[in-house]
Amino acid sequence: MPEPISRNTVAKVARLARLDLTEAEVDRMTDQLAGMLEHFRDVDALDLSNVQPLNQPIPLTNVLRDDVEQPSLDRDEVLGNAPAAQDGRFRVPPIIGFEE
Amino acid sequence: MTRRTVVDIATQVAAGSLSASTVLEENLAAIAAREHEIHAFNLVTADKARERAAQIDADVKAGKKVGRLAGVTIALKDNLCTRGVETTCSSKILAGWKPPYDATVVRRLADEGAVVVGKTNLDEFAMGSSTENSAFGPTRNPLDTSRVPGGSSGGSAAAVAAGFSAASFGSDTGGSIRQPAALCGLVGVKPTYGMVSRQGLVAFGSSLDQIGPFTTTVADAALLMEVIAGHDPLDSTSLPQPAPQLVNVLARGVKGLRIGRVADMPEGSSPDVLARLDAAFDALRAAGATVVDVKLPSMSFGLTAYYLVAPAEASSNLARFDGVRYGLRVDAKDLNAMYGATRAAGFGDEVKRRIMLGTYALSAGYYDAYYGKALKVRRLIADDFAKAYEQCDAILTPTSPTVAFKFGDKTSNPLTMYLCDVFTIPTNLAGHAAMSVPFGTGDAGLPVGVQVLAPALGEATMFQVAAELERSS
């Protein structure tokens, strides 16, 4: 298992997860995640070298439907739920140009 | 108020000897009397329900064929999509969202004549074991309002326990149907992974989630399972087979069945719960089953595997809540700042903690050490079950290590709350079937649930055992 999780790592993970955590939240999260990860070391007792990972309990492969046209969701109903919409599209703030 | 079962309501409404409106008004009266202290619901849809019940009564009067659940009142966990009806997942980030479609399960229930009375409270995004993590406040256990109803489907369990609806539906990712069922004295079913469509269930852990019913009887659960199960082309993990026949196995008994007792069961269950488990084995033995010792050595590692796999999947699933297409948006100068601010304001503490844990477990440099290892442990658990099921047809364990606990008892340290799920989690990791059946009472006169585990697609055997436990309790 790697080193205990650091405050810097927690702050970096928060950025990856697009979560603006407060300084106090980063502190608390560092303690709590460190505690959990420490607890998770119990699996170090297991020999997993020859074990295949299990991703899906009951694997089905290549589930495709027939390529037949079907009605999709009503556009107005979908956009009616959006915080901002314009001209039949979702409206978002500027994507580039404001990096600090 | 007399408790009406799903089977009684459906039979009598279809026969014209009971009106759907009468059933509904009984439930609405119970809601008016006690909902203010229980808080089972995020939303009660009384008007829609009255229209629906009136329509069913009109159909019966006109001699039209009605469905298998005519007039059966149901409550839906508020992470099941209902077209045009607010679906919040008990999160501020989804407040106000009205889904543009119904979940497959919701559609199948409506097609058979069920009447939806409302959307029930849950731990935010189904993350928790007590319904204390809801952004809209906790749900109280109707049997003792100083105690939690369990979680995450606590509102659905409380709704049935309080007589607000004949049945309800929840989702179970690590025990979120079975544990609240146990704590509220109900039957709760976690079907085999892929047996019930997840389409329209807001995803938490996609390889673990299943939808299932809460009922007061095993027969009610069997009927509801027959309605909601079966292949759905809208869910690519839906198993390509029809719903199982369960109603007709209930009277079969357990003669000749081999029931597994876990010899190396994780410790920490309270004596009152273990006494009821022993009594359940005695009852099945008396009914003609044999009890055999089995070993599940990896079971105690289930918690670790689950609390890496589920947050990892959740961190990915919850990426969609970004302030663009639905729910909350906190305005900011650019897109990235808007994402960060929206998610910080919209998610509660437990959801943030799991997103962080999951993102970390999946991030470069840590993937093999955490997520990769967890998937290997998941394999060991599935292999253990496979070996155990060579010797037995079903396994009994406690559902929850204790009866319903008091508010605040487990909120200070997340790990103590996670331990509530030690017996329920392994089934989700393996993708097997499991259900909780009430079997007498323990400390403080509160109900104890016994968990019946069966292999994948072992629902018929599981219901046979559950029906026998119900007869003996």
Side-chain angles (χ1 to χ4, degrees), chain B residues 213-227:
Chain B
F214 288 91
T215 58
T216 55
T217 70
V218 173
D220 283 358
L223 174 58
L224 294 174
M225 280 297 298
E226 288 190 4
V227 169

Side-chain angles (χ1 to χ4, degrees), chain A residues 1-5 9-21 25 28-29 32-33 35-37 39-58 60 63 65 70 73-74 77-79 81-84 90-100, chain B residues 83 96-101 192-193 207 236-240 300-301 303-304 307-308 323-329 332-341 343-344 347 349 352-353 355-357 359-360 363 366 369-373 375-380 382 414-415 418 429-431 456:
Chain A
M1 287 272 171
E3 292 298 298
I5 191 165
T9 304
V10 170
K12 182 185 161 212
V13 170
R15 282 196 298 279
L16 289 174
R18 303 291 188 272
L19 271 178
D20 290 352
L21 298 185
E25 280 180 313
R28 196 170 69 234
M29 207 72 89
Q32 288 178 337
L33 293 187
M36 280 182 226
L37 294 168
H39 181 81
F40 294 164
R41 283 172 183 255
D42 64 351
V43 297
D44 288 349
L46 297 169
D47 177 11
L48 299 171
S49 50
N50 292 315
V51 179
Q52 288 301 308
L54 178 66
N55 290 289
Q56 283 283 100
I58 300 170
L60 301 168
V63 179
R65 69 167 171 84
Q70 290 175 13
L73 298 174
D74 181 80
E77 203 176 346
V78 171
L79 289 173
N81 270 302
F90 296 106
R91 185 181 167 88
V92 296
I95 292 172
I96 49 170
F98 288 90
E99 286 294 321
E100 281 153 66
Chain B
R83 187 171 186 173
W97 182 53
K98 292 181 174 171
Y101 56 88
T192 298
Y193 183 80
S207 76
S236 64
T237 60
S238 170
L239 297 173
S300 55
F301 299 102
L303 273 180
T304 299
Y307 277 100
L308 291 166
V324 173
R325 287 154 296 171
Y326 25 64
L328 180 74
R329 172 183 295 185
K333 59 185 175 6
D334 64 30
L335 189 65
N336 243 325
M338 188 276 282
Y339 289 156
R343 290 161 62 78
F347 290 134
D349 282 349
K352 284 180 185 169
R353 191 153 48 232
I355 289 174
M356 289 291 293
L357 184 57
T359 306
Y360 175 70
S363 63
Y366 303 105
Y370 292 112
Y371 186 66
K373 260 191 190 165
L375 292 180
K376 290 182 172 187
V377 175
R378 192 175 184 181
R379 168 79 61 191
L380 291 183
L415 277 170
Y418 297 174
L429 290 168

Side-chain angles (χ1 to χ4, degrees), chain B residues 372-416:
Chain B
K373 260 191 190 165
L375 292 180
K376 290 182 172 187
V377 175
R378 192 175 184 181
R379 168 79 61 191
L380 291 183
I381 290 168
D383 289 350
D384 277 358
F385 273 118
K387 270 188 217 133
Y389 285 127
E390 286 171 10
Q391 298 165 260
C392 66
D393 304 297
I395 295 172
L396 293 195
T397 71
T399 304
S400 158
T402 63
V403 296
F405 47 93
K406 301 234 175 191
F407 285 95
D409 266 9
K410 296 177 196 278
T411 44
S412 55
N413 178 355
L415 277 170
T416 60

Side-chain angles (χ1 to χ4, degrees), chain B residues 13-97:
Chain B
V13 168
S17 58
L18 174 69
S19 87
S21 302
T22 301
V23 175
L24 174 64
E25 292 304 331
E26 287 172 358
N27 291 137
L28 292 177
I31 291 169
R34 279 199 86 192
E35 170 62 2
H36 65 279
E37 59 164 341
I38 305 297
H39 186 218
F41 289 102
N42 287 339
L43 179 70
V44 176
T45 53
D47 291 346
K48 272 180 194 283
R50 285 193 169 110
E51 268 174 47
R52 182 87 181 116
Q55 183 61 50
I56 289 161
D57 288 334
D59 286 351
V60 171
K61 224 169 230 157
K64 286 189 196 160
K65 187 175 157 34
V66 292
R68 298 177 75 190
L69 301 177
V72 172
T73 48
I74 56 168
L76 300 170
K77 189 177 185 178
D78 205 14
N79 60 356
L80 291 165
C81 288
T82 44
R83 187 171 186 173
V85 176
E86 198 170 334
T87 300
T88 68
C89 296
S90 287
S91 180
K92 282 190 281 185
I93 211 162
L94 259 184
W97 182 53

Side-chain angles (χ1 to χ4, degrees), chain B residues 422-444:
Chain B
V422 65
F423 297 118
T424 48
I425 275 172
T427 334
N428 299 78
L429 290 168
H432 293 171
M435 67 193 285
S436 183
V437 187
F439 199 72
T441 53
D443 289 351

Side-chain angles (χ1 to χ4, degrees), chain B residues 183-239:
Chain B
L183 270 44
C184 291
L186 302 170
V187 176
V189 183
K190 199 294 280 185
T192 298
Y193 183 80
M195 174 161 284
V196 175
S197 171
R198 294 183 295 112
Q199 194 268 343
L201 166 67
V202 178
F204 164 13
S206 301
S207 76
L208 305 158
D209 298 340
Q210 273 289 285
I211 298 167
F214 288 91
T215 58
T216 55
T217 70
V218 173
D220 283 358
L223 174 58
L224 294 174
M225 280 297 298
E226 288 190 4
V227 169
I228 64 169
H231 182 247
D232 176 16
L234 298 177
D235 173 2
S236 64
T237 60
S238 170
L239 297 173

